Amino acid sequence: MNHRLPARTAVLGLVTALAAGMIAAAPGAAASGAAKAVCGPAPAGQASAAGTLGWGTPSWCAEFDGVLDPADWVIYDSAGHAGKGRRSPDQLYVGNGSLYLYGRADGTTAGIGARHEQTYGRWETRVRMYEGGATAYRPLALLWPRDGGGDVLSTTGEEIDFLGVYDYPGKWRPNFYLQTPQGEEQSYSDVEVTTWHTYAVEVSPQGTVGYIDGKEWFRSARHTTGVMQPCLQLDWFPGGGTEGEAWMEVDWLRVYPLNAAGTG
């Protein structure tokens, strides 16, 4: 996959100006140039759970067409996964209608959490990975407690990774991971994470369901009960694969509500 990395390096020159505007805005301040995305149905021609199952119009979305508004996002500035490496705002870029999380060979990488929370609902994102041969980096799209990830801990012992990539049973296979106080559950898929796919999750009082490209790949009667926010992370696992730099590209992120009964 190394041939793809130069294309991402070229993108860096296009997005630097947008990234500078994004990082300059302090949390709670208005981000100059930030525009609210128009949240329409799932894009035509892209296989998705929202389109297949008729989830309708999102309550919030990110199209990554401009700078990131701090009113919408928690931008990580903390130690990396398991205290290794660093999550830095400098490793986030927006351009070409995408969000890019860039991981350097030294473990300096990025993470971001949306300030749009709900207990039950549906979440979906479209992601592809450019690992540049660096399988020590793993993309994640997950639900985490209020105020995002980074150095915020889960006091409830709850987490849902509706896209994760781990060592077992094979590298570069998407993993769905559910953690509740009742225990852990997970599932794997064989899709190639370096090509575009949509990853989605529905959490309701009836349980948890995961989807790839609109097709179910995980189901459990268990579910989280806390207020959760969607997060996007490029995590560094030194010693867990080949070292080097990597990119995670996110096309969009959408949040869909459930009704009071949690039935859609």
Side-chain angles (χ1 to χ4, degrees), residues 20 22 41 53 63 96 114 118 123 132 141 144 148 151 163 166 170 173 186 205-206 212 219 222 225-226 246 251:
M22 171 188 71
L53 301 173
E63 299 292 345
N96 255 7
Q118 55 189 15
W123 297 259
W144 196 249
D151 53 2
L163 164 63
Y166 306 112
R173 298 177 62 188
Q186 56 188 320
Q206 289 71 49
I212 296 179
R219 179 176 290 268
R222 295 175 178 172
T225 59
D251 186 13

Side-chain angles (χ1 to χ4, degrees), residues 2 5 102-109 129-137 234-239 241-247:
N2 292 356
L5 196 60
Y102 172 46
R104 297 189 337 210
D106 65 359
T108 306
T109 183
M129 181 71 177
Y130 300 85
E131 88 285 4
T135 56
Y137 272 109
L234 180 59
D235 283 357
W236 189 51
F237 289 75
T242 55
E243 303 297 328
E245 60 180 2
W247 292 85

Side-chain angles (χ1 to χ4, degrees), residues 149-197:
D151 53 2
V152 177
L153 300 178
S154 173
T155 58
T156 62
E158 296 182 320
E159 176 182 351
I160 299 176
D161 301 354
F162 55 106
L163 164 63
V165 176
Y166 306 112
D167 287 325
Y168 180 82
K171 293 185 185 301
W172 297 101
R173 298 177 62 188
N175 168 257
F176 190 105
Y177 173 77
L178 170 66
Q179 178 178 325
T180 68
Q182 290 73 45
E184 300 177 344
E185 297 180 57
Q186 56 188 320
S187 178
Y188 289 87
S189 169
D190 288 324
V191 305
E192 173 56 64
V193 297
T194 57
T195 59
W196 283 117
H197 293 283

Side-chain angles (χ1 to χ4, degrees), residues 29-116:
S32 177
K36 297 298 182 183
V38 177
C39 297
Q46 295 179 8
S48 70
T52 300
L53 301 173
W55 286 355
T57 301
S59 57
W60 180 80
C61 66
E63 299 292 345
F64 304 116
D65 291 328
V67 297
L68 301 179
D69 188 340
D72 288 324
W73 298 101
V74 177
I75 298 173
Y76 299 2
D77 189 0
S78 63
H81 171 75
K84 299 175 182 179
R86 181 78 189 167
R87 289 166 171 156
S88 169
D90 295 336
Q91 302 308 109
L92 285 170
Y93 301 91
V94 179
N96 255 7
S98 290
L99 170 70
Y100 298 89
L101 294 82
Y102 172 46
R104 297 189 337 210
D106 65 359
T108 306
T109 183
I112 189 168
R115 300 182 190 269
H116 294 270

Side-chain angles (χ1 to χ4, degrees), residues 197-220:
H197 293 283
T198 60
Y199 302 89
V201 60
E202 176 180 289
V203 182
S204 74
Q206 289 71 49
T208 304
V209 187
Y211 302 90
I212 296 179
D213 297 330
K215 297 180 180 179
E216 183 179 318
W217 69 307
F218 177 89
R219 179 176 290 268
S220 172

